Amino acid sequence: MAKWLRAYGDREGDGMVQMTFTLAILPGDRAREGAKRFAEAHGLKEPLVTTMEQCSQAHTYFVVYGHSAHQVDVDSIDVAELAAKPLAREQIEAMGKELGRKIVVVGACTGSDAHTVGIDAILNYKGFAGEKGLESYKCFDAHNLGAQVENVELAERAKALGADAILVSQVITQRNCHKENAAALIDLLQKEGVRDKFLLLLGGPRIDNKLALELGYEGGFGPGTKPSTVAAFVAEEVLRRAKGKSVDPRR
């Protein structure tokens, strides 16, 4: 039986949603009507413009509240969910102890990407959202190469360090450059015959596990991912490989 989801605005399933957008028009009655028609063109019924603020010499920022008739059947959705169990630090450290050596992880923002907030949050000691990064774990040897690292350099460092896992962060997404750059690393490692030596993970604001798998990675991590989630996934998969078991991201 289908399980339908509709937006929750003032009550469950009332279909009320909020849109935000910017139009090249200055604030005024004409602009307000334009914003309402723009929202209606996107399927909103009885739209109400709640915010209309000039944001440049020629543009206005709008927030519109309205009713959407759209709904989604959750039971019809088939996605590759990331197999990252929430584990305590002690459990992750125990897997490292069972492995008998440190797990070497190399991460970077590759290509022209200069936004290191994500990779810093996961790898650096200071961490994110109250959790310390992989540098703080006894079982990890974490190397953050920083921003604008070319795929060739990342691959060479990973090989030189004998890395178990490579973490790639892609924040810039104009013209899908994040996909092209991430896929280029896979191609490079395959050409060098070392693809299977590494657990490859991809992260960024427009990354999810489905996209990462499509690009040839073992896992994808989106916004809000905490260091412990990545640590647990890496430790589990590296230990699985050490035991001769194949990686199965969909398990």
Side-chain angles (χ1 to χ4, degrees), residues 108-114 147-151 168-170 172 177 181:
C109 295
T110 58
S112 60
D113 204 321
Q148 297 183 322
V149 177
E150 295 298 331
N151 285 332
V168 175
S169 176
Q170 292 285 274
I172 296 176
C177 65
N181 200 43

Side-chain angles (χ1 to χ4, degrees), residues 165-183:
I166 298 176
L167 274 60
V168 175
S169 176
Q170 292 285 274
V171 176
I172 296 176
T173 59
Q174 282 87 349
R175 298 179 182 178
N176 286 329
C177 65
H178 61 306
K179 296 180 183 178
E180 296 174 2
N181 200 43

Side-chain angles (χ1 to χ4, degrees), residues 55-71:
C55 58
S56 77
Q57 292 184 343
H59 296 82
T60 300
Y61 172 75
F62 298 92
V63 178
V64 178
Y65 193 60
H67 179 268
S68 169
H70 299 301
Q71 57 187 359

Side-chain angles (χ1 to χ4, degrees), residues 91-110:
Q91 292 174 295
I92 297 170
E93 295 286 19
M95 285 190 284
K97 191 173 183 180
E98 183 179 350
L99 184 66
R101 60 173 177 79
K102 286 183 176 292
I103 299 168
V104 181
V105 177
V106 179
C109 295
T110 58

Side-chain angles (χ1 to χ4, degrees), residues 14-34:
D14 62 9
M16 298 304 291
V17 300
Q18 179 175 293
M19 286 182 63
T20 63
F21 50 86
T22 299
L23 298 178
I25 188 172
L26 293 177
D29 291 341
R30 189 160 173 258
R32 185 186 301 277
E33 182 61 26

Side-chain angles (χ1 to χ4, degrees), residues 97-173:
K97 191 173 183 180
E98 183 179 350
L99 184 66
R101 60 173 177 79
K102 286 183 176 292
I103 299 168
V104 181
V105 177
V106 179
C109 295
T110 58
S112 60
D113 204 321
H115 302 78
T116 63
V117 174
I119 197 73
D120 289 349
I122 299 301
L123 290 180
N124 291 2
Y125 196 96
K126 65 180 182 182
F128 165 69
E131 290 191 2
K132 291 183 171 54
L134 269 61
E135 283 183 342
S136 69
Y137 287 76
K138 294 179 181 178
C139 65
F140 282 106
D141 179 17
H143 300 261
N144 185 351
L145 305 188
Q148 297 183 322
V149 177
E150 295 298 331
N151 285 332
V152 172
E153 180 185 352
L154 177 58
E156 290 302 315
R157 287 295 300 276
K159 288 187 291 183
L161 291 166
D164 297 290
I166 298 176
L167 274 60
V168 175
S169 176
Q170 292 285 274
V171 176
I172 296 176
T173 59

